[in-house]
Amino acid sequence: KVHKNIYNRILHMIGIPLILFSLPVIYFSTYSGLSIFSIGWAFQLLGHWFEKKKPAFFDCAGVFYLANVSKCCWGKFVP
């Protein structure tokens, strides 16, 4: 039901690689890495705006995933 709109798919094909590329860049240059990361997410959210559907990331599964990541990274659930 999501990712059927051509604009959403194109923007995801740009945004996802940007997000993945940003992760090692953050290690070397925090500002550049976070900028690339933010731009990648902007592409993702813009795609969902074109599709008129909220990202699945915002449903319960996405929140549960974030809670587990915060537990692994920081040893506690970060709100």
Side-chain angles (χ1 to χ4, degrees):
K1 295 179 178 126
V2 294
H3 304 121
K4 300 293 182 191
N5 181 290
I6 187 67
Y7 299 114
N8 190 11
R9 295 181 74 143
I10 291 169
L11 290 168
H12 273 62
M13 288 191 308
I14 297 168
I16 291 171
L18 282 174
I19 293 168
L20 293 175
F21 174 74
S22 74
L23 298 177
V25 174
I26 290 172
Y27 179 77
F28 297 103
S29 173
T30 304
Y31 179 77
S32 296
L34 290 176
S35 296
I36 296 167
F37 185 83
S38 298
I39 292 168
W41 271 105
F43 274 102
Q44 299 278 53
L45 295 174
L46 183 62
H48 282 279
W49 180 80
F50 276 114
E51 194 169 59
K52 307 287 189 259
K53 303 236 187 249
K54 70 177 184 171
F57 182 78
F58 292 123
D59 66 6
C60 292
V63 173
F64 180 72
Y65 174 76
L66 275 182
N68 283 323
V69 169
S70 70
K71 176 74 172 161
C72 291
C73 293
W74 294 284
K76 61 182 179 178
F77 293 111
V78 177

